[in-house]
Amino acid sequence: MSSQSQLTPKVQIMKGATPNLSAATYQIHDESHTMGNALRWMLLKNPHVEFCGYSVPHPSEPNIQLRIQMFDERSSLEALLKALGDLDDLCVAVNDKYAESLRTGEFERWVEKS
Amino acid sequence: MNVGSRRLVGVTAERATHVSSTDFPGHYPDEDHSWDLSIFKSNLKVEVQRLSNRSIEFDIVGVDASIANAFRRIMIAEVPTVAAERVYIFNNTSVIQDEVLAHRVGLVPLNVDPRHLDMKADVDDSGTDRDTIIFKAHVLCERNPKAPKGSEDPKELYINHEFLSSHLEWQPAGEQAILMKDIKPLNPNIVLAKLRPGQQVDMEIHAIKGVGKDHAKFSPVATASYRLHPNIVITKPIPMHRAEEFKNCFAPGVVVVDKAKKVVKIDPKGMRNDTVTREVLRDPEFSEMVQLSRIRDFFIFNVESESAYAPQEMLPEAIKVLRSKIADIKRSAESLLDIGGDGGDVSMADL
């Protein structure tokens, strides 16, 4: 299992993509709905994205397929990279706000017995 | 609380309405909705509500369900913990079969901080002090010579009548003795097997770091769930003679009956505790006077940690995991840039 996942690249472009990658399907190895749905949402926040959807082709294979189609012959790979960057910014923002709330300590504390 | 109708998921007697989010570019004419970090930050609200030694309740407001769900899924299945993976049984004369006993030992939560250990590259590799924690357990049940006469209580009659999680004894290996302290199961009272005089269990247990998607024993949480904040609006005044009936349609604390001013109100703080049973909609009169909904981007998380992580550490750990996943995909996608690009041949997998 682990030796196989080292051979499989994390991201592959599946056959059938347009040469300029304005429409392409990416297969992402070892990912699930967790990344698939989050990435789909962030890609749809990009106004240059015409269509975006993902699927888990088979529940016992650890792959997802992410389809991206762009307006104006733009590159879907650029859009994917932007979405990944934006998703990372989102994570930092949520983490910072959470840490701030925890630091101010304005919440109820209680003791729970095992 | 006055919430814009776009943020509401309607709850009617037989169906949920306006379920999907609409904050995408192109959905509303003349509105942008494309990703903007500063707008996102100004709308985002993260607030811890309740914290105990075992669980936490916090709100995340202003994110999409796909993001909140990613945090929840990662807390359950991808935040690593340490659990017994290999159990070497030298002797087991208890009534529990070896494989069943090994399984029960595997499920015992340990107080090992996973951040001190490496993930084993291959489970079949021999372990090192950097990736394996070793426990020994040797329990022999005997008759208690000092048992009171006529007693029928196994606690008094026998010594070691139960094989408990507290019988797991940590054997520090290499630098573990310096790095870690007092490694043991989080709960000392878990009964792993019942014993009778002459029966014994003798085993060595190797615990490793893993994730919940491989086996549920590695999951750091008992529950990690979210619900949407309920929103209840009274549209027509509730008649005072039916106020108590109306109040009883909701969870305690949601409806306030002001007898002096003769008004029935919804308590904005109590509203979050409502379970949205729709009981109020069964009454033909009440159903015309109230509007039930939930706020689509208001997530009330409830997380119970059952691992070495304190409950307030669960979300930061999940975010750490998510960010490393993003970095992995990004690195691999960037390597595709060189082969792709304008006019160049795209290297396409034969999939």
Side-chain angles (χ1 to χ4, degrees):
Chain A
M1 167 72 208
S2 61
S3 57
Q4 192 206 343
S5 57
Q6 257 143 39
L7 292 173
T8 320
K10 185 79 183 171
V11 182
Q12 282 170 288
I13 300 170
M14 298 176 71
K15 73 176 175 191
T18 57
N20 61 3
L21 290 184
S22 79
T25 305
Y26 298 84
Q27 183 164 76
I28 309 175
H29 182 65
D30 223 5
E31 292 299 344
S32 61
H33 294 282
T34 307
M35 278 313 289
N37 201 18
L39 265 179
R40 176 205 60 98
W41 176 77
M42 190 51 99
L43 275 153
L44 286 175
K45 285 294 246 180
N46 184 339
H48 303 301
V49 171
E50 181 189 28
F51 173 88
C52 181
Y54 82 97
S55 75
V56 180
H58 195 284
S60 57
E61 285 173 357
N63 295 320
I64 55 166
Q65 292 175 358
L66 185 68
R67 174 72 178 173
I68 311 170
Q69 286 170 211
M70 305 294 293
F71 287 120
D72 309 325
E73 301 296 311
R74 284 169 186 269
S75 163
S76 63
L77 189 52
E78 300 279 350
L80 177 61
L81 288 170
K82 177 179 160 19
L84 286 163
D86 292 343
L87 212 51
D88 197 56
D89 293 343
L90 181 150
C91 287
V92 175
V94 173
N95 198 32
D96 289 352
K97 281 264 167 88
Y98 178 80
E100 195 187 308
S101 166
L102 211 55
R103 200 169 41 241
T104 55
E106 285 162 3
F107 46 84
E108 182 190 339
R109 285 167 195 273
W110 58 297
V111 177
E112 204 168 346
K113 293 261 169 66
S114 319
Chain B
M1 186 151 50
N2 205 352
V3 184
S5 63
R6 278 185 192 179
R7 285 176 69 200
L8 293 178
V9 177
V11 177
T12 62
E14 298 293 341
R15 58 191 300 154
T17 63
H18 306 93
V19 180
S20 310
S21 45
T22 54
D23 54 345
F24 297 110
H27 190 93
Y28 299 103
D30 304 321
E31 286 181 33
D32 186 15
H33 291 296
S34 58
W35 173 252
D36 186 310
L37 185 61
S38 58
I39 293 175
F40 172 77
K41 274 185 183 166
S42 65
N43 290 331
L44 177 68
K45 206 177 87 184
V46 184
E47 262 176 30
V48 179
Q49 297 292 338
R50 298 180 85 213
L51 175 66
S52 84
N53 48 329
R54 297 177 52 128
S55 67
I56 187 168
E57 182 178 311
F58 58 89
D59 300 345
I60 302 185
V61 191
V63 299
D64 190 73
S66 55
I67 305 298
N69 196 38
F71 292 149
R72 182 194 64 85
R73 285 176 62 100
I74 290 172
M75 282 191 265
I76 292 168
E78 296 189 62
V79 172
T81 66
V82 177
E85 173 73 13
R86 293 282 152 97
V87 179
Y88 301 95
I89 299 178
F90 306 120
N91 196 5
N92 169 26
T93 51
S94 77
V95 293
I96 310 286
Q97 300 90 325
D98 291 3
E99 64 274 26
V100 179
L101 189 57
H103 180 244
R104 291 176 68 80
V105 170
L107 295 173
V108 172
L110 305 171
N111 74 344
V112 190
D113 190 330
R115 289 162 285 204
H116 287 159
L117 283 190
D118 295 335
M119 199 85 84
K120 240 171 142 177
D122 191 326
V123 275
D124 295 324
D125 290 347
S126 60
T128 70
D129 57 343
R130 294 285 180 93
D131 58 28
T132 306
I133 303 276
I134 299 173
F135 293 90
K136 276 200 170 135
H138 189 190
V139 188
L140 171 66
C141 180
E142 287 167 310
R143 264 177 216 289
N144 183 4
K146 291 172 197 154
K149 230 183 159 121
S151 169
E152 288 184 3
D153 185 357
K155 255 186 267 174
E156 295 172 346
L157 283 175
Y158 316 122
I159 301 163
N160 283 337
H161 75 294
E162 282 172 331
F163 170 28
L164 298 168
S165 53
S166 58
H167 286 124
L168 304 192
E169 262 179 73
W170 176 43
Q171 312 286 311
E175 62 181 14
Q176 287 174 359
I178 314 156
L179 197 65
M180 303 170 195
K181 238 187 9 223
D182 204 19
I183 298 297
K184 59 186 183 192
L186 279 160
N187 185 335
N189 302 318
I190 303 168
V191 179
L192 296 166
K194 294 212 169 192
L195 303 173
R196 282 296 175 265
Q199 296 181 346
Q200 62 171 313
V201 169
D202 184 8
M203 52 170 65
E204 185 172 304
I205 298 141
H206 291 194
I208 62 164
K209 187 167 160 176
V211 288
K213 63 179 175 181
D214 282 341
H215 194 292
K217 70 187 174 186
F218 290 118
S219 187
V221 291
T223 59
S225 67
Y226 58 72
R227 61 196 174 93
L228 295 181
H229 194 296
N231 189 53
I232 305 154
V233 181
I234 295 176
T235 49
K236 285 181 200 152
I238 308 295
M240 275 315 275
H241 71 277
R242 297 201 66 196
E244 281 303 311
E245 263 181 276
F246 183 80
K247 189 178 173 178
N248 291 334
C249 291
F250 298 91
V254 176
V255 174
V256 186
V257 181
D258 192 336
K259 288 200 170 117
K261 286 185 188 158
K262 297 205 166 166
V263 278
V264 177
K265 285 186 297 190
I266 301 290
D267 178 21
K269 283 224 175 78
M271 195 154 69
R272 69 157 32 233
N273 294 323
D274 193 46
T275 48
V276 198
T277 55
R278 283 123 82 229
E279 176 71 14
V280 70
L281 301 181
R282 295 181 67 206
D283 187 295
E285 196 187 355
F286 289 157
S287 65
E288 304 294 311
M289 298 170 168
V290 67
Q291 212 135 43
L292 299 184
S293 54
R294 288 181 182 272
I295 307 171
R296 186 163 31 236
D297 63 351
F298 197 128
F299 296 91
I300 301 170
F301 274 81
N302 204 304
V303 179
E304 291 174 25
S305 173
E306 201 58 66
S307 65
Y309 297 108
Q312 69 271 24
E313 291 172 333
M314 283 310 302
L315 183 69
E317 287 300 321
I319 291 175
K320 238 187 258 174
V321 172
L322 182 54
R323 290 191 66 196
S324 82
K325 286 156 84 78
I326 292 168
D328 277 357
I329 298 173
K330 204 170 181 186
R331 208 176 308 119
S332 184
E334 271 164 355
S335 70
L336 291 172
L337 274 177
D338 314 327
I339 28 180
D342 294 304
D345 276 343
V346 186
S347 145
M348 273 179 277
D350 194 22
L351 295 166

